[in-house]
Amino acid sequence: MLAIEQLAIAYGPHTVVKEISFALAEGQIGCLVGPSGCGKTTILRAIAGFEAPAAGVVRLQGQVVSSVNTQVVPEKRKVGMVFQDFALFPHLTVADNIAFGIAKLSKADKAAKVKALLKLVGLPDLGQRYIHQLSGGQQQRVALARALAPEPKVLLLDEPFSSLDAEFREVLARDIRTILKQLQITAVLVTHDQFEAFAMADMIGVMQLGQLQQWATPYELYHRPASRFVADFVGRGVMLPGTMLDPQQVETCLGIFQQRYLPETKAGDRVDVLIRPDDIVHDDDSAIKATVLDKSFRGSHILYTLALSGGEQVYCLALSHHNHAIGEQIGIRLDLDHLVLFPRSHGV
């Protein structure tokens, strides 16, 4: 449905997007994440037709809509967009906002479509209200319904939850995912919030300085990050120093572990091992002890910051009935299903 091939976008001599490639099938939801200024919104604008490429191609349903020689105007691309600020009309009712992009339909068809969309987004009785009478989450649903009204083939969402409370974002992201899957609409979401991305996307691309560091499923990103930047950006974790005993075994302060993924390692090589909070298991019977430096209560779990005997720090996500005081020593063990290593940085 959507294919980006070697896309580059430049403003004068400054290239802000560099040779980006990814694709989405019909009904797939993709997400671009990364820090501010990394180029993710620029890619969204290129898909919509608001930015012309310096190189590469944008295809929709196999048709070239953007290239150096071709630029199909936005209104002919069958692409819908939900903006960061919702961009709703305050002087129109909810129903009239939704109907704005389908003015050519007959009055009866328009009314039927608006009614169906209001039901779809969970606002069946709010058609005659005005925007200021709605909560932020309700306004977001109206913006989604308005974007869906012209029946786009691809829907673009630019930081759509940024103005909402953090605890509500993930719920709304899951609701919108359900709606898009029901309609089999291909979508691209831009966000800097990895939890929104995990809640909504089938495929996630991590951006840095205009380049796509990795395009993968949420599971692959978390457990098989392709670079240190991806490992640092997606999920919380620390890098523990390790030494290769042979090409398959690495020794760390927490024990010796088997590795399968870092090629061309040999005995004596120094590496860094990625340790996530869920890799550290609280175990009172373990011989390995750590000191609680800090704790953050998270309801069912507590996130502990722990100091190991050699001074290294790790995170441990433990069930909250394991409530330990700062300064207390607790037993831990490492439970690694996916060992992620990187060659040690030069000079470390």
Side-chain angles (χ1 to χ4, degrees):
M1 181 59 69
L2 170 67
I4 310 292
E5 301 168 6
Q6 298 295 305
L7 180 69
I9 299 171
Y11 299 128
H14 184 50
T15 302
V16 295
V17 169
K18 307 166 187 175
E19 298 185 348
I20 299 292
S21 297
F22 65 86
L24 289 168
E26 182 179 5
Q28 269 194 314
I29 300 172
C31 181
L32 297 173
V33 299
S36 297
C38 67
K40 53 190 186 294
T41 294
T42 304
I43 295 171
L44 216 63
R45 290 174 57 81
I47 297 170
F50 301 137
E51 300 285 354
V57 171
V58 177
R59 299 180 192 272
L60 292 171
Q61 291 184 292
Q63 176 191 356
V64 175
V65 294
S66 284
S67 70
V68 175
N69 301 314
T70 303
Q71 188 71 359
V72 175
V73 295
E75 57 268 27
K76 296 201 178 212
R77 294 192 178 204
K78 295 289 282 180
V79 170
M81 194 152 188
V82 177
F83 297 93
Q84 185 172 349
D85 60 359
F86 309 154
L88 298 170
F89 300 111
H91 63 287
L92 298 180
T93 65
V94 167
D96 288 339
N97 264 281
I98 295 172
F100 185 80
I102 51 174
K104 292 182 180 179
L105 294 183
S106 70
K107 187 174 180 180
D109 288 345
K110 196 187 306 179
K113 174 157 275 193
V114 168
K115 182 179 180 181
L117 284 168
L118 282 169
K119 182 179 179 183
L120 181 69
V121 300
L123 305 173
D125 303 318
L126 302 186
Q128 295 312 304
R129 289 196 186 179
Y130 286 87
I131 300 306
H132 72 272
Q133 297 174 305
L134 305 180
S135 69
Q138 289 171 331
Q139 290 180 26
Q140 181 60 269
R141 292 170 186 271
V142 174
L144 175 65
R146 184 181 63 181
L148 293 174
E151 299 182 5
K153 297 296 183 185
V154 174
L155 184 67
L156 309 176
L157 303 104
D158 185 13
E159 297 274 8
F161 314 113
S162 60
S163 64
L164 304 178
D165 292 340
E167 62 189 39
F168 187 58
R169 291 178 193 172
E170 189 174 337
V171 174
L172 188 56
R174 291 185 186 281
D175 287 348
I176 290 179
R177 173 183 169 83
T178 299
I179 291 168
L180 296 178
K181 287 296 182 182
Q182 183 177 335
L183 298 175
Q184 274 294 288
I185 289 179
T186 304
V188 183
L189 166 74
V190 158
T191 182
H192 62 272
D193 187 322
Q194 58 179 291
F195 297 108
E196 289 174 18
F198 287 161
M200 193 161 171
D202 300 307
M203 301 294 295
I204 300 175
V206 180
M207 298 280 299
Q208 182 192 27
L209 300 175
Q211 295 181 310
L212 189 62
Q213 294 289 316
Q214 189 172 1
W215 177 258
T217 66
Y219 182 90
E220 289 170 326
L221 277 184
Y222 189 84
H223 291 293
R224 294 297 310 146
S227 69
R228 286 175 178 270
F229 178 81
V230 175
D232 288 337
F233 192 84
V234 178
R236 195 169 198 170
V238 298
M239 296 286 183
L240 284 185
T243 302
M244 301 305 300
L245 299 179
D246 57 43
Q248 280 78 44
Q249 293 190 98
V250 58
E251 183 177 32
T252 75
C253 58
L254 291 176
I256 297 173
F257 301 96
Q258 296 287 325
Q259 76 93 19
R260 300 179 306 231
Y261 302 110
L262 188 63
E264 299 177 4
T265 54
K266 62 184 184 298
D269 283 353
R270 295 194 301 169
V271 296
D272 289 324
V273 183
L274 176 65
I275 306 296
R276 304 280 197 196
D278 47 310
D279 295 328
I280 301 287
V281 178
H282 177 252
D283 182 356
D284 289 326
D285 296 327
S286 173
I288 301 172
K289 303 300 179 184
T291 304
V292 177
L293 296 181
D294 196 10
K295 58 192 288 191
S296 176
F297 185 75
R298 302 199 170 182
S300 61
H301 290 76
I302 296 175
L303 180 66
Y304 288 104
T305 304
L306 305 174
L308 304 177
S309 59
E312 304 92 345
Q313 291 186 17
V314 294
Y315 298 108
C316 173
L317 194 63
L319 292 171
S320 60
H321 60 260
H322 295 290
N323 187 20
H324 297 282
I326 292 174
E328 187 177 346
Q329 278 209 329
I330 64 173
I332 60 168
R333 59 181 170 82
L334 200 56
D335 184 16
L336 281 175
D337 285 333
H338 300 83
L339 192 66
V340 178
L341 340 161
F342 297 98
R344 180 77 56 81
S345 300
H346 293 297
V348 177

